[in-house]
Amino acid sequence: MERIVLLVGGAGYIGSELTGYFLNLGYKVRSLDLLLYENQVCVYPFLLNKNYEFIYGDMTDEGVTSNALIGVTDVVILAGLVGDPITKKYPQASQKINNDGILNLIRLVNGRGIKRVVFLSTCSNYGLITGDTLADEEFELKPLSLYAKSKVAIEKELLGLRGKVDYCPVILRFATAFGLSTRMRFDLTVSEFTRAMYLKKDLLVYDADTWRPYCHVRDFSRAINMVMLAPDAHVGFEVFNVGGDVNNYTKQMIINEIKTFIPDAPVRYQEKGPDPRNYRVSFSKIKGRIGFIPEYTVRDGVSELLSALSQHLFDKVDERRNFHGNYEIEYSSNM
Ligand SMILES: NC(=O)c1ccc[n+]([C@@H]2O[C@H](COP(=O)([O-])OP(=O)(O)OC[C@H]3O[C@@H](n4cnc5c(N)ncnc54)[C@H](O)[C@@H]3O)[C@@H](O)[C@H]2O)c1
């Protein structure tokens, strides 16, 4: 069966990597994106590919989204205001996109014979876990930010659609991403720390012993594809943590990894920072159910980024701050 996949938010950090990955597999890719971060450059590499189509537009606009859905076999929902800081800064836009817009999208998808709808959620939903417990998919959710609260709300809605829709949703709770992509985000821990230490900047690390899981963008693409190919009975209406046990790291462990490359990079530490999240996650379910294990370690990600930095590929990050991080948007939530 020919797969024509709509990537909603396909020009972002994960979406631009996923676009190339899917095109290489022979899928047709349609990307709908509002280019909130001046990320036009993420579309350019694919423009001459006959299997690629780009639609500029706002997924909260019903006309735009209905049009984008015509003829597609699968939908991957990546779009949104991504991260705690940007949702805190723009709560109205966050409500409009991350809640109302996505709810409307999952309603519009119904009745079209679409096979797979993959919703990208986050391990941030686990919030703050005290002790050494590994959170599996059944673990209590404690979303601390507006960002995670929206994800939890959409998850709940999707899981309640069993028997009411003609498609098969899958919820993927992603670890925090690292790895090279056209829209390289440096507001994510591994890449932020690696760049800061490479430049010997004064890096202040809050709550160094807090845990998080991490995963390479390329591994995310592989996981999404495995979910696309898995039988409905294995993945439909299921939640999966996506990452690998090997990449559960404390911030201190990331620093130690980078220090093996740059031993003299200065790092300062402080307790009781602004972000209390602490969670270690179990990835047994996705491994057992569809055989997904990540190929890349945090160390691989540090190493590939250091090599790109040394080749001057990211010399303009400070001048292009908003392209390289989710800091500011121009978006009217009244539209
Ligand atoms: N990056 C991570 O570490 C991470 C971790 C867990 C989950 N996720 C999830 O993965 C997905 C992608 O994350 P990312 O890091 O690529 O984010 P990103 O911010 O780089 O990309 C989001 C894209 O969505 C687009 N977008 C936003 N609002 C839109 C709208 N109204 N209409 C059309 N397009 C719109 C933006 O222009 C951007 O290109 C998100 O759903 C995120 O919650 C990411």
Side-chain angles (χ1 to χ4, degrees):
M1 174 186 137
E2 182 182 56
R3 308 294 282 253
I4 306 171
V5 189
L6 175 65
L7 303 184
V8 185
Y13 175 46
I14 294 171
S16 46
E17 151 59 30
L18 182 62
T19 302
Y21 190 84
F22 274 1
L23 287 170
N24 281 338
L25 290 176
Y27 295 158
K28 292 194 168 160
V29 174
R30 184 180 294 159
S31 171
L32 167 63
D33 202 295
L34 195 54
L35 304 174
L36 280 179
Y37 303 101
E38 297 173 44
N39 42 331
Q40 286 78 356
V41 69
C42 298
V43 175
Y44 300 160
F46 310 116
L47 281 176
L48 292 181
N49 190 318
K50 63 179 178 12
N51 288 330
Y52 179 76
E53 184 187 352
F54 179 71
I55 300 178
Y56 170 81
D58 186 343
M59 55 84 71
T60 71
D61 181 326
E62 196 161 319
V64 169
T65 301
S66 300
N67 189 38
L69 284 166
I70 293 171
V72 304
T73 57
D74 306 271
V75 178
V76 183
I77 307 174
L78 305 113
L81 297 194
V82 178
D84 299 2
I86 191 105
T87 49
K88 189 172 179 196
K89 189 165 179 183
Y90 301 98
Q92 283 171 325
S94 174
Q95 171 67 35
K96 189 178 176 206
I97 300 172
N98 293 5
N99 291 73
D100 307 344
I102 306 281
L103 284 176
N104 201 34
L105 169 64
I106 61 183
R107 183 180 63 77
L108 289 174
V109 168
N110 191 30
R112 297 169 184 267
I114 285 173
K115 183 172 168 55
R116 190 73 84 236
V117 174
V118 182
F119 174 63
L120 301 202
S121 188
T122 169
C123 289
S124 281
N125 294 349
Y126 299 115
L128 205 172
I129 299 176
T130 45
D132 280 345
T133 323
L134 283 181
D136 65 13
E137 288 78 357
E138 305 302 318
F139 200 84
E140 184 191 3
L141 301 179
K142 280 196 201 135
L144 302 176
S145 61
L146 200 52
Y147 170 62
K149 284 178 182 157
S150 305
K151 293 288 190 190
V152 170
I154 302 294
E155 285 191 6
K156 206 171 156 209
E157 180 71 19
L158 275 171
L159 294 174
L161 293 176
R162 193 189 280 274
K164 298 181 188 156
V165 289
D166 66 348
Y167 60 85
C168 179
V170 187
I171 292 161
L172 300 182
R173 285 187 193 141
F174 275 14
T176 300
F178 63 88
L180 295 174
S181 157
T182 313
R183 182 181 185 230
M184 193 55 208
R185 283 183 58 188
F186 284 98
D187 56 344
L188 297 169
T189 311
V190 173
S191 304
E192 181 196 348
F193 287 3
T194 304
R195 177 173 175 269
M197 288 171 75
Y198 173 79
L199 296 173
K200 308 262 170 70
K201 285 189 168 189
D202 179 29
L203 176 63
L204 177 58
V205 174
Y206 289 105
D207 303 307
D209 294 325
T210 48
W211 289 90
R212 297 260 188 98
Y214 297 88
C215 188
H216 197 286
V217 282
R218 172 55 59 108
D219 279 322
F220 280 146
S221 295
R222 248 184 353 100
I224 293 171
N225 186 47
M226 287 171 85
V227 159
M228 298 257 303
L229 299 179
D232 289 2
H234 289 186
V235 297
F237 291 93
E238 293 284 346
V239 179
F240 293 96
N241 294 330
V242 185
D245 298 341
V246 62
N247 287 331
N248 273 317
Y249 264 60
T250 63
K251 291 184 191 172
Q252 184 63 61
M253 287 159 71
I254 298 174
I255 297 292
N256 295 348
E257 209 67 89
I258 303 168
K259 282 222 170 200
T260 63
F261 296 95
I262 316 166
D264 56 341
V267 181
R268 288 185 299 125
Y269 297 93
Q270 193 172 312
E271 291 304 303
K272 298 203 183 327
D275 182 353
R277 283 177 296 170
N278 179 50
Y279 45 93
R280 285 173 77 196
V281 174
S282 163
F283 298 99
S284 307
K285 182 176 174 184
I286 194 162
K287 185 177 167 193
R289 195 72 70 92
I290 59 169
F292 173 78
I293 340 175
E295 283 175 358
Y296 296 89
T297 61
V298 168
R299 185 174 180 79
D300 295 330
V302 169
S303 169
E304 74 174 25
L305 181 53
L306 285 175
S307 127
L309 286 161
S310 72
Q311 296 304 318
H312 298 271
L313 295 181
F314 296 111
D315 283 0
K316 300 264 193 265
V317 171
D318 291 330
E319 288 102 289
R320 306 192 61 215
R321 190 168 179 270
N322 214 33
F323 173 77
H324 285 295
N326 290 359
Y327 299 111
E328 275 174 28
I329 53 167
E330 282 180 28
Y331 184 80
S332 167
S333 38
N334 303 319
M335 283 191 303

